[in-house]
Amino acid sequence: MGAFDIVVVGAGISGSTLAERYACRGSRVLVLEKRHHIGGNCYDSFDGHGILVSNYGAHLFHTEYEDVWRYVNRFSAWYPYEHRVLARVDGKLVPIPVNITTVNTLFGLSLQSEAEMQRFLDRVQVKHPAPRNGEEAALARVGHVLYEKMFKHYTKKQWNKYPHELDASVLQRIPIRTNFDDRYFSDRFQALPVEGYTKLFEKMLGHPNIEVRLNTDYFDVRDTAEVRGCRKLFYAGPIDRFFDYRHSRHQKLQWRSIHFEWITLDREYFQENSVINYPDPADGEFTRIVEYKHFTRQKHEKTTISREYTTDEGDPYYPVPNPENDAIYRRYQEEADRLTDVHFVGRLANYKYFNMDQAFKNALDLFHSLEGDDPSGL
Ligand code: UDP
């Protein structure tokens, strides 16, 4: 018998959760991580100026799942943080999701009540009972003018596709508000880890039954006795790579990545909000500017911001949900389903745009379905 019962590929949310659960149950777990650090895209670190930043973009935790909330609280203290986003439109900063303030600012109106906002929306919305793509989904919510100003070109910047080329689900991530609520999310639990995400992952993976090997590409070691000898494998990498891209020879399974332009400024703050979106192509090719000190409230005489540009090159971050990619993914999924004792977990292996809490939830649910209920009550 090999030294490890369980091998986990990828030390992000899904992999770390499964590693932690199995380790607590007494299994010996090997975690293989290609990058030089744990935490996946949640990884954060102090930059050269001593400012805590998220190296792969902002991660705002929000959930309705009580079990997930209880679980993440085992590994870190959390402080309440309700995320808000502003978008620069027509030279003004307006709340996104669209709410009464957004409409009043951009249309020079003074709507005051939900009823007035609802009447405005009834006038502008282009009803689609079952939107077939992102454009229909957005038009059904906000109508033509707001669609053009806030969604169409931002989506092109982010996905290199217009909304009509994407599934409705992509733009349905953003609600519309008929009141003054300017929070990005409305979930019951919204918080950030007091010492950052990396510390949380260190705690999750710190169990003595877990060995983490960084800078280790699973595909370089998959044929070693140690890896082959395990009882179960959890794979959180891109699904097409696992199958050697064999269904992507004619048409690639598409992914989007982000290029970050980091700038540290000799002033305490740069912008009035943590995230400002730039839907207007005239403002530049970047989608948004993030200023990290707004999240952490870190006291520092300087501030670090990042401009985000989404690209086709680089590590895969986002699956691109549309019918063409779904068809390719389904071929991989059929093969994945035929494998016993290999489980495909997380955003990259399921080709699904999961939020952080969904990734935790799926990993916990998978563990319970494979191993039965957890005596600790999760
Ligand atoms: N979106 C947009 N304008 C915005 C913000 C979002 O058009 O100001 C669209 C865009 O297509 C994006 C989608 O709505 O991919 C979902 O936004 P979300 O903030 O959930 O994307 P994330 O930043 O989490 O990838």
Side-chain angles (χ1 to χ4, degrees):
M1 210 177 117
F4 296 103
D5 308 302
I6 304 289
V7 171
V8 171
V9 181
I13 292 175
S14 310
S16 300
T17 303
L18 283 152
E20 189 277 338
R21 291 289 73 204
Y22 274 98
C24 278
R25 233 193 41 139
S27 304
R28 293 151 311 152
V29 184
L30 174 63
V31 178
L32 303 172
E33 171 54 58
K34 188 173 137 184
R35 289 173 169 166
H36 68 86
H37 59 75
I38 57 172
N41 278 6
C42 299
Y43 175 69
D44 46 25
S45 65
F46 289 92
D47 69 7
H49 303 271
I51 298 170
L52 185 62
V53 298
S54 289
N55 302 58
Y56 304 95
H59 281 74
L60 286 307
F61 185 83
H62 56 101
T63 192
E64 283 289 330
Y65 299 123
E66 283 216 39
D67 55 346
V68 170
W69 179 236
R70 273 202 308 275
Y71 183 67
V72 298
N73 272 275
R74 291 180 173 194
F75 310 106
S76 174
W78 294 71
Y79 57 94
Y81 184 90
E82 293 188 319
H83 188 41
R84 289 178 167 77
V85 177
L86 296 173
R88 193 179 143 86
V89 181
D90 296 345
K92 298 174 185 133
L93 293 179
V94 294
I96 175 142
V98 169
N99 69 4
I100 295 182
T101 311
T102 314
V103 167
N104 284 348
T105 310
L106 295 180
F107 292 86
L109 298 172
S110 47
L111 310 178
Q112 289 302 326
S113 66
E114 296 216 9
E116 284 176 329
M117 178 68 168
Q118 196 53 61
R119 272 199 296 281
F120 170 86
L121 290 174
D122 286 340
R123 248 197 351 265
V124 299
Q125 285 171 339
V126 184
K127 303 285 185 205
H128 286 285
R132 284 164 301 182
N133 56 52
E135 179 172 320
E136 291 184 358
L139 287 173
R141 286 191 169 171
V142 301
H144 281 288
V145 175
L146 289 171
Y147 169 68
E148 281 286 331
K149 288 182 193 288
M150 300 183 77
F151 295 97
K152 183 174 169 182
H153 305 285
Y154 186 96
T155 300
K156 175 74 167 113
K157 286 188 195 183
Q158 170 141 355
W159 298 96
N160 196 24
K161 291 191 189 316
Y162 284 106
H164 72 84
E165 303 170 272
L166 291 164
D167 284 357
S169 61
V170 176
L171 283 96
Q172 281 167 337
R173 285 169 61 86
I174 310 229
I176 174 136
R177 302 261 166 71
T178 52
N179 51 25
F180 288 93
D181 186 356
D182 61 351
R183 295 170 309 158
Y184 206 66
F185 310 110
S186 45
D187 301 53
R188 190 148 49 112
F189 306 108
Q190 305 190 30
L192 291 174
V194 170
E195 292 182 274
Y197 286 99
T198 302
K199 286 272 182 245
L200 178 146
F201 283 93
E202 281 171 6
K203 195 88 182 281
M204 288 178 82
L205 295 170
H207 195 286
N209 288 345
I210 302 178
E211 180 175 330
V212 179
R213 286 195 202 142
L214 301 176
N215 304 305
T216 307
D217 189 335
Y218 163 69
F219 296 96
D220 292 338
V221 298
R222 73 196 296 187
D223 291 325
T224 58
E226 200 175 40
V227 172
R228 291 177 76 102
C230 71
R231 188 164 65 76
K232 278 191 196 314
L233 178 85
F234 294 93
Y235 175 80
I239 190 161
D240 50 355
R241 175 140 197 236
F242 189 90
F243 293 107
D244 201 22
Y245 303 101
R246 70 176 73 134
H247 299 302
S248 318
R249 302 250 152 81
H250 304 297
Q251 198 186 349
K252 266 182 69 185
L253 187 62
Q254 293 173 307
W255 300 94
R256 295 291 281 164
S257 190
I258 304 182
H259 167 71
F260 299 91
E261 189 182 1
W262 295 98
I263 304 164
T264 299
L265 299 156
D266 251 326
R267 53 203 265 202
E268 230 185 316
Y269 278 97
F270 168 72
Q271 61 191 26
E272 66 186 72
N273 196 54
S274 57
V275 178
I276 297 188
N277 285 0
Y278 286 84
D280 187 344
D283 283 330
E285 281 303 301
F286 51 89
T287 51
R288 55 192 170 196
I289 299 181
V290 180
E291 182 169 27
Y292 286 92
K293 277 170 62 183
H294 285 287
F295 298 125
T296 57
R297 296 159 202 170
Q298 187 182 350
K299 295 265 176 288
H300 200 293
E301 62 202 11
K302 297 183 182 186
T303 189
T304 297
I305 61 168
S306 73
R307 291 204 188 107
E308 297 187 6
Y309 301 80
T310 35
T311 70
D312 287 334
E313 262 134 57
D315 283 351
Y317 286 28
Y318 299 107
V320 182
N322 67 15
E324 294 76 42
N325 288 318
D326 287 349
I328 301 170
Y329 166 67
R330 270 199 303 277
R331 293 206 213 130
Y332 287 117
Q333 191 189 18
E334 279 165 21
E335 292 211 38
D337 288 346
R338 283 201 289 274
L339 296 176
T340 45
D341 301 329
V342 182
H343 299 276
F344 291 79
V345 295
R347 213 187 242 208
L348 304 181
N350 286 277
Y351 203 67
K352 295 261 160 16
Y353 197 0
F354 295 133
N355 286 329
M356 281 190 285
D357 68 325
Q358 291 171 306
F360 278 110
K361 177 75 177 156
N362 295 344
L364 290 172
D365 288 352
L366 175 62
F367 177 76
H368 293 150
S369 75
L370 294 171
E371 306 298 333
D373 276 343
D374 185 335
S376 65
L378 269 168

mmCIF file of all heavy atoms in Angstrom, residues 302-334:
data_model
loop_
_atom_site.group_PDB
_atom_site.id
_atom_site.type_symbol
_atom_site.label_atom_id
_atom_site.label_comp_id
_atom_site.label_asym_id
_atom_site.label_seq_id
_atom_site.Cartn_x
_atom_site.Cartn_y
_atom_site.Cartn_z
ATOM 1 N N LYS A 302 0.901 54.587 1.538
ATOM 2 C CA LYS A 302 0.757 54.378 0.091
ATOM 3 C C LYS A 302 -0.464 53.518 -0.176
ATOM 4 O O LYS A 302 -1.056 52.940 0.737
ATOM 5 C CB LYS A 302 1.991 53.664 -0.460
ATOM 6 C CG LYS A 302 3.253 54.466 -0.313
ATOM 7 C CD LYS A 302 4.420 53.747 -0.931
ATOM 8 C CE LYS A 302 5.657 54.597 -0.688
ATOM 9 N NZ LYS A 302 6.819 54.091 -1.343
ATOM 10 N N THR A 303 -0.784 53.374 -1.458
ATOM 11 C CA THR A 303 -1.900 52.499 -1.814
ATOM 12 C C THR A 303 -1.568 51.748 -3.101
ATOM 13 O O THR A 303 -0.866 52.294 -3.964
ATOM 14 C CB THR A 303 -3.212 53.304 -1.958
ATOM 15 O OG1 THR A 303 -4.307 52.395 -2.100
ATOM 16 C CG2 THR A 303 -3.206 54.229 -3.171
ATOM 17 N N THR A 304 -2.027 50.503 -3.186
ATOM 18 C CA THR A 304 -1.789 49.707 -4.392
ATOM 19 C C THR A 304 -3.116 49.452 -5.089
ATOM 20 O O THR A 304 -4.095 49.058 -4.448
ATOM 21 C CB THR A 304 -1.112 48.365 -4.035
ATOM 22 O OG1 THR A 304 0.170 48.648 -3.458
ATOM 23 C CG2 THR A 304 -0.924 47.500 -5.274
ATOM 24 N N ILE A 305 -3.099 49.691 -6.392
ATOM 25 C CA ILE A 305 -4.297 49.421 -7.191
ATOM 26 C C ILE A 305 -3.929 48.437 -8.308
ATOM 27 O O ILE A 305 -2.751 48.257 -8.624
ATOM 28 C CB ILE A 305 -4.871 50.708 -7.831
ATOM 29 C CG1 ILE A 305 -3.855 51.351 -8.784
ATOM 30 C CG2 ILE A 305 -5.300 51.695 -6.762
ATOM 31 C CD1 ILE A 305 -4.441 52.440 -9.667
ATOM 32 N N SER A 306 -4.936 47.777 -8.868
ATOM 33 C CA SER A 306 -4.654 46.994 -10.069
ATOM 34 C C SER A 306 -5.716 47.255 -11.115
ATOM 35 O O SER A 306 -6.913 47.367 -10.802
ATOM 36 C CB SER A 306 -4.573 45.499 -9.744
ATOM 37 O OG SER A 306 -5.836 44.992 -9.485
ATOM 38 N N ARG A 307 -5.229 47.402 -12.328
ATOM 39 C CA ARG A 307 -6.141 47.471 -13.473
ATOM 40 C C ARG A 307 -6.230 46.074 -14.045
ATOM 41 O O ARG A 307 -5.209 45.418 -14.241
ATOM 42 C CB ARG A 307 -5.582 48.395 -14.550
ATOM 43 C CG ARG A 307 -5.564 49.836 -14.176
ATOM 44 C CD ARG A 307 -5.582 50.667 -15.480
ATOM 45 N NE ARG A 307 -5.380 52.072 -15.189
ATOM 46 C CZ ARG A 307 -4.251 52.715 -15.451
ATOM 47 N NH1 ARG A 307 -3.240 52.096 -16.030
ATOM 48 N NH2 ARG A 307 -4.144 53.992 -15.158
ATOM 49 N N GLU A 308 -7.448 45.616 -14.309
ATOM 50 C CA GLU A 308 -7.634 44.245 -14.782
ATOM 51 C C GLU A 308 -8.003 44.215 -16.263
ATOM 52 O O GLU A 308 -8.938 44.895 -16.692
ATOM 53 C CB GLU A 308 -8.749 43.556 -13.981
ATOM 54 C CG GLU A 308 -8.401 43.431 -12.518
ATOM 55 C CD GLU A 308 -9.420 42.595 -11.744
ATOM 56 O OE1 GLU A 308 -10.336 42.006 -12.357
ATOM 57 O OE2 GLU A 308 -9.273 42.539 -10.505
ATOM 58 N N TYR A 309 -7.256 43.407 -16.980
ATOM 59 C CA TYR A 309 -7.537 43.185 -18.410
ATOM 60 C C TYR A 309 -7.777 41.686 -18.578
ATOM 61 O O TYR A 309 -6.914 40.896 -18.213
ATOM 62 C CB TYR A 309 -6.322 43.534 -19.277
ATOM 63 C CG TYR A 309 -5.843 44.962 -19.146
ATOM 64 C CD1 TYR A 309 -5.051 45.361 -18.073
ATOM 65 C CD2 TYR A 309 -6.173 45.898 -20.124
ATOM 66 C CE1 TYR A 309 -4.598 46.663 -17.967
ATOM 67 C CE2 TYR A 309 -5.718 47.209 -20.029
ATOM 68 C CZ TYR A 309 -4.939 47.596 -18.951
ATOM 69 O OH TYR A 309 -4.492 48.887 -18.840
ATOM 70 N N THR A 310 -8.908 41.308 -19.115
ATOM 71 C CA THR A 310 -9.098 39.865 -19.333
ATOM 72 C C THR A 310 -8.497 39.489 -20.692
ATOM 73 O O THR A 310 -8.545 40.256 -21.649
ATOM 74 C CB THR A 310 -10.574 39.437 -19.251
ATOM 75 O OG1 THR A 310 -11.357 40.470 -19.769
ATOM 76 C CG2 THR A 310 -11.004 39.128 -17.851
ATOM 77 N N THR A 311 -7.917 38.294 -20.725
ATOM 78 C CA THR A 311 -7.185 37.870 -21.923
ATOM 79 C C THR A 311 -7.435 36.382 -22.179
ATOM 80 O O THR A 311 -7.956 35.678 -21.324
ATOM 81 C CB THR A 311 -5.651 38.018 -21.734
ATOM 82 O OG1 THR A 311 -5.227 37.024 -20.797
ATOM 83 C CG2 THR A 311 -5.266 39.376 -21.223
ATOM 84 N N ASP A 312 -7.029 35.937 -23.368
ATOM 85 C CA ASP A 312 -7.107 34.508 -23.688
ATOM 86 C C ASP A 312 -5.877 33.765 -23.176
ATOM 87 O O ASP A 312 -5.865 32.550 -23.117
ATOM 88 C CB ASP A 312 -7.162 34.291 -25.208
ATOM 89 C CG ASP A 312 -8.519 34.680 -25.753
ATOM 90 O OD1 ASP A 312 -9.490 34.627 -24.984
ATOM 91 O OD2 ASP A 312 -8.586 35.043 -26.937
ATOM 92 N N GLU A 313 -4.821 34.527 -22.897
ATOM 93 C CA GLU A 313 -3.567 33.886 -22.507
ATOM 94 C C GLU A 313 -3.383 33.858 -20.989
ATOM 95 O O GLU A 313 -3.874 34.716 -20.301
ATOM 96 C CB GLU A 313 -2.392 34.644 -23.124
ATOM 97 C CG GLU A 313 -1.905 33.981 -24.382
ATOM 98 C CD GLU A 313 -1.682 34.978 -25.492
ATOM 99 O OE1 GLU A 313 -0.897 35.913 -25.266
ATOM 100 O OE2 GLU A 313 -2.313 34.820 -26.552
ATOM 101 N N GLY A 314 -2.629 32.848 -20.541
ATOM 102 C CA GLY A 314 -2.365 32.759 -19.109
ATOM 103 C C GLY A 314 -3.188 31.662 -18.469
ATOM 104 O O GLY A 314 -3.943 30.959 -19.140
ATOM 105 N N ASP A 315 -3.045 31.541 -17.147
ATOM 106 C CA ASP A 315 -3.777 30.500 -16.422
ATOM 107 C C ASP A 315 -5.277 30.647 -16.642
ATOM 108 O O ASP A 315 -5.792 31.764 -16.630
ATOM 109 C CB ASP A 315 -3.522 30.653 -14.918
ATOM 110 C CG ASP A 315 -2.164 30.118 -14.532
ATOM 111 O OD1 ASP A 315 -1.506 29.490 -15.390
ATOM 112 O OD2 ASP A 315 -1.759 30.347 -13.372
ATOM 113 N N PRO A 316 -5.989 29.530 -16.799
ATOM 114 C CA PRO A 316 -7.442 29.636 -16.956
ATOM 115 C C PRO A 316 -8.107 30.080 -15.659
ATOM 116 O O PRO A 316 -7.809 29.555 -14.592
ATOM 117 C CB PRO A 316 -7.863 28.208 -17.325
ATOM 118 C CG PRO A 316 -6.763 27.325 -16.855
ATOM 119 C CD PRO A 316 -5.510 28.139 -16.875
ATOM 120 N N TYR A 317 -8.964 31.100 -15.735
ATOM 121 C CA TYR A 317 -9.722 31.568 -14.571
ATOM 122 C C TYR A 317 -11.209 31.284 -14.756
ATOM 123 O O TYR A 317 -11.883 30.834 -13.853
ATOM 124 C CB TYR A 317 -9.617 33.090 -14.397
ATOM 125 C CG TYR A 317 -8.327 33.635 -13.884
ATOM 126 C CD1 TYR A 317 -7.118 32.995 -14.097
ATOM 127 C CD2 TYR A 317 -8.325 34.833 -13.196
ATOM 128 C CE1 TYR A 317 -5.954 33.534 -13.630
ATOM 129 C CE2 TYR A 317 -7.154 35.390 -12.721
ATOM 130 C CZ TYR A 317 -5.965 34.735 -12.946
ATOM 131 O OH TYR A 317 -4.818 35.286 -12.490
ATOM 132 N N TYR A 318 -11.691 31.657 -15.932
ATOM 133 C CA TYR A 318 -13.139 31.590 -16.168
ATOM 134 C C TYR A 318 -13.452 30.645 -17.317
ATOM 135 O O TYR A 318 -12.899 30.805 -18.409
ATOM 136 C CB TYR A 318 -13.681 32.945 -16.620
ATOM 137 C CG TYR A 318 -13.526 34.086 -15.674
ATOM 138 C CD1 TYR A 318 -12.601 35.088 -15.929
ATOM 139 C CD2 TYR A 318 -14.326 34.194 -14.545
ATOM 140 C CE1 TYR A 318 -12.464 36.177 -15.077
ATOM 141 C CE2 TYR A 318 -14.202 35.278 -13.694
ATOM 142 C CZ TYR A 318 -13.268 36.261 -13.962
ATOM 143 O OH TYR A 318 -13.147 37.328 -13.121
ATOM 144 N N PRO A 319 -14.374 29.691 -17.109
ATOM 145 C CA PRO A 319 -14.944 29.008 -18.259
ATOM 146 C C PRO A 319 -15.800 30.016 -19.032
ATOM 147 O O PRO A 319 -16.237 31.015 -18.463
ATOM 148 C CB PRO A 319 -15.831 27.932 -17.632
ATOM 149 C CG PRO A 319 -16.104 28.392 -16.250
ATOM 150 C CD PRO A 319 -14.978 29.289 -15.843
ATOM 151 N N VAL A 320 -16.007 29.780 -20.311
ATOM 152 C CA VAL A 320 -16.798 30.705 -21.134
ATOM 153 C C VAL A 320 -18.103 29.997 -21.503
ATOM 154 O O VAL A 320 -18.139 29.193 -22.438
ATOM 155 C CB VAL A 320 -16.016 31.084 -22.424
ATOM 156 C CG1 VAL A 320 -16.816 32.089 -23.252
ATOM 157 C CG2 VAL A 320 -14.642 31.657 -22.075
ATOM 158 N N PRO A 321 -19.169 30.248 -20.737
ATOM 159 C CA PRO A 321 -20.373 29.437 -20.946
ATOM 160 C C PRO A 321 -21.165 29.849 -22.180
ATOM 161 O O PRO A 321 -21.733 30.935 -22.238
ATOM 162 C CB PRO A 321 -21.197 29.672 -19.670
ATOM 163 C CG PRO A 321 -20.587 30.827 -18.981
ATOM 164 C CD PRO A 321 -19.333 31.241 -19.681
ATOM 165 N N ASN A 322 -21.150 28.984 -23.180
ATOM 166 C CA ASN A 322 -22.035 29.136 -24.334
ATOM 167 C C ASN A 322 -22.218 27.750 -24.958
ATOM 168 O O ASN A 322 -21.551 26.780 -24.559
ATOM 169 C CB ASN A 322 -21.508 30.190 -25.325
ATOM 170 C CG ASN A 322 -20.227 29.796 -26.008
ATOM 171 O OD1 ASN A 322 -19.829 28.637 -25.994
ATOM 172 N ND2 ASN A 322 -19.575 30.758 -26.624
ATOM 173 N N PRO A 323 -23.139 27.591 -25.893
ATOM 174 C CA PRO A 323 -23.466 26.243 -26.387
ATOM 175 C C PRO A 323 -22.265 25.508 -27.000
ATOM 176 O O PRO A 323 -22.127 24.293 -26.819
ATOM 177 C CB PRO A 323 -24.548 26.500 -27.441
ATOM 178 C CG PRO A 323 -25.171 27.806 -27.033
ATOM 179 C CD PRO A 323 -24.057 28.612 -26.426
ATOM 180 N N GLU A 324 -21.380 26.219 -27.703
ATOM 181 C CA GLU A 324 -20.233 25.556 -28.347
ATOM 182 C C GLU A 324 -19.310 24.937 -27.284
ATOM 183 O O GLU A 324 -18.900 23.783 -27.380
ATOM 184 C CB GLU A 324 -19.417 26.546 -29.194
ATOM 185 C CG GLU A 324 -20.150 27.113 -30.407
ATOM 186 C CD GLU A 324 -21.174 28.196 -30.049
ATOM 187 O OE1 GLU A 324 -20.859 29.045 -29.204
ATOM 188 O OE2 GLU A 324 -22.293 28.177 -30.605
ATOM 189 N N ASN A 325 -18.986 25.741 -26.273
ATOM 190 C CA ASN A 325 -18.101 25.221 -25.224
ATOM 191 C C ASN A 325 -18.779 24.124 -24.409
ATOM 192 O O ASN A 325 -18.144 23.146 -24.023
ATOM 193 C CB ASN A 325 -17.639 26.348 -24.306
ATOM 194 C CG ASN A 325 -16.638 27.247 -24.995
ATOM 195 O OD1 ASN A 325 -15.737 26.765 -25.689
ATOM 196 N ND2 ASN A 325 -16.791 28.542 -24.848
ATOM 197 N N ASP A 326 -20.083 24.287 -24.187
ATOM 198 C CA ASP A 326 -20.793 23.250 -23.420
ATOM 199 C C ASP A 326 -20.728 21.909 -24.137
ATOM 200 O O ASP A 326 -20.593 20.858 -23.505
ATOM 201 C CB ASP A 326 -22.262 23.640 -23.213
ATOM 202 C CG ASP A 326 -22.397 24.760 -22.201
ATOM 203 O OD1 ASP A 326 -21.385 25.065 -21.539
ATOM 204 O OD2 ASP A 326 -23.494 25.323 -22.090
ATOM 205 N N ALA A 327 -20.827 21.957 -25.479
ATOM 206 C CA ALA A 327 -20.798 20.697 -26.242
ATOM 207 C C ALA A 327 -19.436 20.018 -26.084
ATOM 208 O O ALA A 327 -19.354 18.794 -25.900
ATOM 209 C CB ALA A 327 -21.098 20.977 -27.710
ATOM 210 N N ILE A 328 -18.371 20.797 -26.134
ATOM 211 C CA ILE A 328 -17.033 20.207 -25.966
ATOM 212 C C ILE A 328 -16.880 19.681 -24.539
ATOM 213 O O ILE A 328 -16.410 18.555 -24.311
ATOM 214 C CB ILE A 328 -15.925 21.247 -26.269
ATOM 215 C CG1 ILE A 328 -16.070 21.776 -27.690
ATOM 216 C CG2 ILE A 328 -14.539 20.637 -26.069
ATOM 217 C CD1 ILE A 328 -15.179 22.968 -27.995
ATOM 218 N N TYR A 329 -17.306 20.501 -23.586
ATOM 219 C CA TYR A 329 -17.190 20.079 -22.188
ATOM 220 C C TYR A 329 -17.926 18.762 -21.941
ATOM 221 O O TYR A 329 -17.421 17.877 -21.240
ATOM 222 C CB TYR A 329 -17.716 21.178 -21.246
ATOM 223 C CG TYR A 329 -17.927 20.653 -19.848
ATOM 224 C CD1 TYR A 329 -16.835 20.251 -19.076
ATOM 225 C CD2 TYR A 329 -19.199 20.502 -19.321
ATOM 226 C CE1 TYR A 329 -17.018 19.721 -17.807
ATOM 227 C CE2 TYR A 329 -19.393 19.970 -18.065
ATOM 228 C CZ TYR A 329 -18.296 19.578 -17.311
ATOM 229 O OH TYR A 329 -18.482 19.039 -16.061
ATOM 230 N N ARG A 330 -19.104 18.620 -22.541
ATOM 231 C CA ARG A 330 -19.896 17.396 -22.285
ATOM 232 C C ARG A 330 -19.158 16.132 -22.702
ATOM 233 O O ARG A 330 -19.282 15.093 -22.072
ATOM 234 C CB ARG A 330 -21.264 17.472 -22.966
ATOM 235 C CG ARG A 330 -22.318 18.100 -22.048
ATOM 236 C CD ARG A 330 -23.726 17.774 -22.516
ATOM 237 N NE ARG A 330 -23.942 18.204 -23.885
ATOM 238 C CZ ARG A 330 -24.264 19.445 -24.236
ATOM 239 N NH1 ARG A 330 -24.441 20.359 -23.317
ATOM 240 N NH2 ARG A 330 -24.434 19.758 -25.504
ATOM 241 N N ARG A 331 -18.348 16.240 -23.756
ATOM 242 C CA ARG A 331 -17.568 15.048 -24.166
ATOM 243 C C ARG A 331 -16.554 14.673 -23.089
ATOM 244 O O ARG A 331 -16.342 13.509 -22.787
ATOM 245 C CB ARG A 331 -16.823 15.331 -25.467
ATOM 246 C CG ARG A 331 -17.782 15.503 -26.592
ATOM 247 C CD ARG A 331 -17.098 15.141 -27.903
ATOM 248 N NE ARG A 331 -17.670 15.992 -28.905
ATOM 249 C CZ ARG A 331 -17.000 16.718 -29.773
ATOM 250 N NH1 ARG A 331 -15.678 16.643 -29.819
ATOM 251 N NH2 ARG A 331 -17.607 17.479 -30.617
ATOM 252 N N TYR A 332 -15.929 15.692 -22.520
ATOM 253 C CA TYR A 332 -14.990 15.408 -21.423
ATOM 254 C C TYR A 332 -15.735 14.866 -20.208
ATOM 255 O O TYR A 332 -15.282 13.947 -19.533
ATOM 256 C CB TYR A 332 -14.230 16.682 -21.029
ATOM 257 C CG TYR A 332 -13.191 17.101 -22.037
ATOM 258 C CD1 TYR A 332 -13.288 18.304 -22.719
ATOM 259 C CD2 TYR A 332 -12.096 16.279 -22.309
ATOM 260 C CE1 TYR A 332 -12.327 18.689 -23.639
ATOM 261 C CE2 TYR A 332 -11.130 16.652 -23.225
ATOM 262 C CZ TYR A 332 -11.253 17.864 -23.893
ATOM 263 O OH TYR A 332 -10.295 18.228 -24.801
ATOM 264 N N GLN A 333 -16.903 15.450 -19.972
ATOM 265 C CA GLN A 333 -17.655 15.036 -18.791
ATOM 266 C C GLN A 333 -18.053 13.565 -18.885
ATOM 267 O O GLN A 333 -18.008 12.831 -17.891
ATOM 268 C CB GLN A 333 -18.898 15.911 -18.650
ATOM 269 C CG GLN A 333 -19.598 15.755 -17.327
ATOM 270 C CD GLN A 333 -20.936 16.475 -17.311
ATOM 271 O OE1 GLN A 333 -21.493 16.801 -18.366
ATOM 272 N NE2 GLN A 333 -21.448 16.718 -16.129
ATOM 273 N N GLU A 334 -18.430 13.128 -20.092
ATOM 274 C CA GLU A 334 -18.798 11.711 -20.258
ATOM 275 C C GLU A 334 -17.633 10.807 -19.891
ATOM 276 O O GLU A 334 -17.805 9.775 -19.246
ATOM 277 C CB GLU A 334 -19.220 11.442 -21.702
ATOM 278 C CG GLU A 334 -20.658 11.849 -21.967
ATOM 279 C CD GLU A 334 -20.968 11.935 -23.459
ATOM 280 O OE1 GLU A 334 -20.218 11.318 -24.259
ATOM 281 O OE2 GLU A 334 -21.939 12.637 -23.799
#
